[in-house]
Amino acid sequence: METKRFVVGLGEALWDCLPEGKKLGGAPANFAYHAGQFLGQENTLAVSALGEDSLADETEASLKEHGLNYLMPRVPYPTGTVQVTLSGDGIPTYDIKENVAWDNIPFTPEIEEVARNCKAVCFGSLAQRNVVSRENIHRFLDATPADCMKIFDINLRQQFYTKEVIQASLRRCNVLKINDEELVLIGRMFGYPGLDIENKCWLILGKYDLDMLVLTCGTNGSYVFTPGQETPKVEVADTVGAGDSFTGSFCAAILEGKPVAEAHKRAVQVSAFVCTQNGAMPVIPEEMR
């Protein structure tokens, strides 16, 4: 593999099995796809693991269809799925199947080479629920260059996280992406529930020596905190489900050298657009690039 400076989505690769059919999901591929729309897909990569099954073939076909590069070794576990069922009043419940391929991401020489030539990587807590992937995600992060942008998009799911996993991730990242609900949970977990939202953000930023903390608050807008300054709140339509497009386009803008405020504005525009589209990987219009 030739040396490049890669932008990587690292973690779960899975299919959401919905009542109307299945669709490819997983934050890492969505992040890499959206970063690639600005940086060029040749520089972006989704890293995970697939099973030795037909669903793995379908995953590869879907990634290729979206022009997305991937490094997903086959392992002797089923390709990941999430069973989504809707209650009578349309509330979804998720059964994220355990002991699947992405719980067992290997640290191959190819993956190590990508880590050593990585300029940005986005990872979350879900893919760290199993010790194999957790240790290999840490190995990947520890192998990246000193100037690599390491985004912890915390993404708390069901019971699949612990205080220890979150602390280890915070120590390895330099950018934290979190939403207001997750911030409440983290505040309780870390023992500072009394602080207001802003002070919690400043506390985490300082305690873990972060370069940036990105806070999204659904319809109440979003904020970016950096040491010594906070970018003004950006008003936003509800962008539930478009978080990966927000993170991917924000990361791309920072890598392009844009000021934080401009990167923030772009991320809000892109995620609002994605909310109006069908599927998580629409083509971003030319005027937004």
Side-chain angles (χ1 to χ4, degrees):
M1 188 180 288
E2 63 185 293
T3 299
K4 273 185 192 161
R5 299 276 277 158
F6 293 104
V7 176
V8 173
L10 172 64
E12 65 274 14
L14 48 84
W15 288 83
D16 290 315
C17 301
L18 304 145
E20 68 272 18
K22 65 182 191 298
K23 61 173 188 179
L24 187 62
N30 291 341
F31 166 83
Y33 173 79
H34 286 289
Q37 293 215 67
F38 297 94
L39 301 171
Q41 298 291 14
E42 68 280 3
N43 300 314
T44 53
L45 194 64
V47 174
S48 187
L50 298 173
E52 295 161 342
D53 50 25
S54 60
L55 206 49
D57 300 335
E58 285 186 56
T59 307
E60 291 187 345
S62 182
L63 293 169
K64 282 174 184 156
E65 193 185 314
H66 287 98
L68 186 54
N69 293 314
Y70 58 89
L71 194 48
M72 299 187 181
R74 300 285 182 112
V75 293
Y77 298 87
T79 296
T81 53
V82 179
Q83 204 63 47
V84 186
T85 48
L86 298 178
S87 67
D89 46 6
I91 306 295
T93 54
Y94 303 91
D95 175 15
I96 306 172
K97 301 297 181 194
E98 295 191 60
N99 210 21
V100 292
W102 60 261
D103 285 313
N104 296 279
I105 302 169
F107 192 62
T108 62
E110 293 82 6
I111 289 176
E112 183 174 5
E113 192 177 340
V114 166
R116 295 199 182 283
N117 295 297
C118 186
K119 63 179 170 185
V121 54
C122 185
F123 67 103
S125 58
L126 178 58
Q128 298 184 63
R129 67 181 181 177
N130 185 42
V131 65
V132 176
S133 285
R134 180 162 68 247
E135 287 182 353
N136 287 330
I137 286 169
H138 290 177
R139 287 172 76 185
F140 185 103
L141 296 168
D142 295 346
T144 57
D147 61 350
C148 179
M149 183 179 181
K150 296 187 281 283
I151 305 164
F152 180 34
D153 189 348
I154 193 163
N155 218 356
L156 301 180
R157 290 285 178 267
Q158 290 162 240
Q159 76 285 12
F160 297 124
Y161 57 90
T162 64
K163 185 177 180 179
E164 292 67 34
V165 163
I166 289 164
Q167 286 176 319
S169 299
L170 285 168
R171 284 193 286 269
R172 282 178 167 84
C173 76
N174 44 37
V175 178
L176 172 64
K177 159 91 172 4
I178 191 166
N179 68 33
D180 49 352
E181 290 173 5
E182 291 164 341
L183 189 62
V184 171
L185 290 170
I186 296 300
R188 281 195 204 123
M189 193 183 272
F190 287 6
Y192 33 81
L195 294 176
D196 65 20
I197 277 186
E198 222 165 297
N199 283 323
K200 274 183 195 146
C201 289
W202 287 123
L203 187 64
I204 294 168
L205 187 83
K207 184 173 167 62
Y208 291 97
D209 196 23
L210 303 178
D211 296 336
M212 270 179 254
L213 187 154
V214 181
L215 172 68
T216 56
C217 303
T219 48
N220 295 318
S222 54
Y223 305 78
V224 181
F225 297 83
T226 55
Q229 66 175 66
E230 170 197 339
T231 64
K233 179 173 111 172
V234 175
E235 299 295 339
V236 62
D238 190 8
T239 56
V240 172
D244 303 322
S245 62
F246 183 107
T247 314
S249 48
F250 179 85
C251 170
I254 295 292
L255 292 177
E256 288 167 339
K258 297 193 186 307
V260 170
E262 204 176 311
H264 186 188
K265 201 169 164 193
R266 174 204 274 178
V268 168
Q269 284 177 332
V270 169
S271 56
F273 167 77
V274 170
C275 280
T276 67
Q277 303 300 298
N278 198 4
M281 296 187 192
V283 175
I284 300 301
E286 211 48 60
E287 63 271 17
M288 285 192 187
R289 299 186 201 195

